[in-house]
Amino acid sequence: MSTGHITIDLDAIIANWRALDKMSKTETAAVVKANGYGLGAGRVAKALAKAGARKFFVAVAEEGAAIRQALGEGVQINVFSGHMRGDTDMIGDLGLTPMLNSIDQISRHFESLPGAPFGIQLDTGMNRLGMEWDEWGAIAEIALAQHPTLVMSHLACADEPDHPMNAFQLDVFHQMTDGISVPRSLAATGGILLGKDFHFDLTRPGIGLYGGAPFTKAKPVVQMDLPVVQIRHISEGEVVGYGNAWQAERPSKVATLAAGYADGLLRAMSDKATFYYGADPCPLIGRVSMDLITVDITDLPEEPHALTLLGKQQTVDHLATAAGTIGYEILTSLGARYTRRTKGG
Ligand SMILES: *Cc1c(COP(=O)(O)O)cnc(C)c1O
């Protein structure tokens, strides 16, 4: 009872996947990279497979191996980083589908695993992963003759619907892929919300499944409660925490909670985040330290045993804004020290 508690609502993840699926007429995959955005890739993938997801995406082959172990045969597991040196056995033995990003990767794949499934990733302007015009022009005919499962690209600014980059990348993707007879994919969560022009044959939502922006209608997925280790009464003028960063302007009651930046509660939240006791807000005061956080509970009607940081009152995006970051980083930073529980699924 001394560590923080995280509850992951698998039914909410399923509901978010279904809601995103309903927004397009095409197939909806699920992105479960980075351990399912920090929430447990195996559990998340199992719940989504039960709900009907048949295609999964991970960042690297090792993550794909974990998903194959959790789900067994019968689902397609796609790897964004493609076929890297050293991946051949894993890709071959576990039937992973690499999204090949370069002519080098295409050669490696065709030579080491002839006939094995693969997709193609194209760069349409983000300049991160995928083949560019020239490379694709040189290899397209040879690659397409081997029947890729998918040709995909990724949007750089899909969380800003009015950004001109969206239309630009859509146009480049059309120019690079129109007329080919292979399924195409361009949209992650943000791209789904941009509308049907961006949907093509398969969508690849990640953050929206886990309750994060830009899918603002998502159901919250994570509840985080931190136990109170100690409560103390301090006088006006006394200080709290490292660097004396907070000073009481009135006689105050301060709760010390068992979690800190080692648990992914970013130091940038110092003096900015808010905890909740039911509906009552309680400000985080002073600096977040490695294992402890201090909270002003002066205005609460009773002494709490625990306070809530993530839940119905406050989503990952609210907390991210307080810390000057994005929901993705809050979720994937959550450390290993919490007691984790899932419900539903
Ligand atoms: C992470 C990622 C996704 C999922 O993006 P979200 O914004 O989390 O929905 C889709 N495609 C690629 C290539 C990615 O890297």
Side-chain angles (χ1 to χ4, degrees):
M1 182 51 206
S2 52
T3 60
H5 295 274
I6 290 180
T7 305
I8 296 152
D9 186 346
L10 296 173
D11 288 339
I13 294 180
I14 290 171
N16 291 335
W17 183 77
R18 291 203 167 120
L20 289 163
D21 184 43
K22 270 208 179 124
M23 289 180 195
S24 79
K25 291 201 166 66
T26 56
E27 183 175 357
T28 302
V31 178
V32 292
K33 62 192 181 188
N35 191 27
Y37 289 49
L39 301 183
R43 285 182 298 234
V44 169
K46 267 189 192 154
L48 289 173
K50 231 169 92 185
R54 285 294 164 268
K55 292 183 178 154
F56 294 85
F57 285 87
V58 292
V60 292
E62 285 81 356
E63 296 177 338
I67 300 300
R68 180 64 78 206
Q69 197 164 25
L71 297 185
E73 302 300 314
V75 296
Q76 188 186 74
I77 301 168
N78 302 285
V79 182
F80 288 134
S81 61
H83 188 150
M84 291 168 66
R85 210 188 301 271
D87 283 350
T88 304
D89 287 348
M90 227 177 328
I91 289 172
D93 295 348
L94 299 173
L96 308 180
T97 306
M99 299 291 113
L100 304 177
N101 287 298
S102 64
I103 291 180
D104 274 358
Q105 287 201 346
I106 288 182
S107 312
R108 182 179 296 133
H109 191 70
F110 287 7
E111 280 164 24
S112 60
L113 295 170
F118 68 96
I120 296 282
Q121 184 156 200
L122 301 177
D123 178 58
T124 50
M126 188 175 186
N127 284 312
R128 192 181 66 167
L129 273 184
M131 279 179 272
E132 303 194 5
W133 279 100
D134 300 357
E135 251 186 318
W136 180 231
I139 201 80
E141 205 175 322
I142 294 166
L144 291 170
Q146 301 299 316
H147 306 294
T149 54
L150 189 71
V151 172
M152 59 162 284
S153 187
H154 192 50
L155 298 168
C157 305
D159 57 342
E160 297 175 59
D162 298 328
H163 201 296
M165 188 68 171
N166 296 320
F168 174 81
Q169 286 191 267
L170 179 63
D171 181 49
V172 173
F173 193 56
H174 273 296
Q175 291 189 50
M176 292 175 92
T177 62
D178 275 356
I180 68 175
S181 56
V182 174
R184 294 184 285 180
S185 176
L186 182 61
T189 303
I192 295 173
L193 302 172
L194 292 178
K196 66 177 179 2
D197 290 351
F198 290 83
H199 295 163
F200 293 90
D201 302 299
L202 182 75
T203 63
R204 315 181 306 266
I207 191 71
L209 306 175
Y210 308 99
F215 184 30
T216 47
K217 296 207 176 89
K219 283 198 156 80
V221 166
V222 186
Q223 164 98 24
M224 182 197 287
D225 302 296
L226 301 184
V228 175
V229 183
Q230 226 187 348
I231 292 174
R232 71 185 65 245
H233 297 261
I234 63 173
S235 314
E236 184 184 334
E238 281 197 275
V239 290
V240 172
Y242 281 124
N244 294 356
W246 188 82
Q247 186 166 32
E249 288 171 0
R250 57 175 178 168
S252 301
K253 223 194 266 183
V254 174
T256 303
L257 310 183
Y261 59 75
D263 303 290
L265 303 182
L266 311 178
R267 205 162 162 281
M269 290 173 194
S270 298
D271 257 328
K272 298 209 171 80
T274 304
F275 282 80
Y276 285 85
Y277 184 60
D280 296 339
C282 313
L284 189 164
I285 57 172
R287 288 195 194 150
V288 174
S289 40
M290 188 184 292
D291 318 296
L292 297 167
I293 284 179
T294 41
V295 178
D296 182 355
I297 57 163
T298 312
D299 297 326
L300 289 187
E302 60 197 32
E303 299 205 337
H305 294 296
L307 294 174
T308 303
L309 186 59
L310 290 171
K312 288 196 177 63
Q313 312 88 330
Q314 175 163 263
T315 68
V316 288
D317 294 307
H318 297 129
L319 187 59
T321 302
T325 182
I326 54 177
Y328 298 76
E329 192 180 24
I330 297 290
L331 287 178
T332 56
S333 300
L334 298 177
R337 202 156 35 166
Y338 300 97
T339 308
R340 287 165 184 256
R341 201 172 71 81
T342 53
K343 62 178 193 188

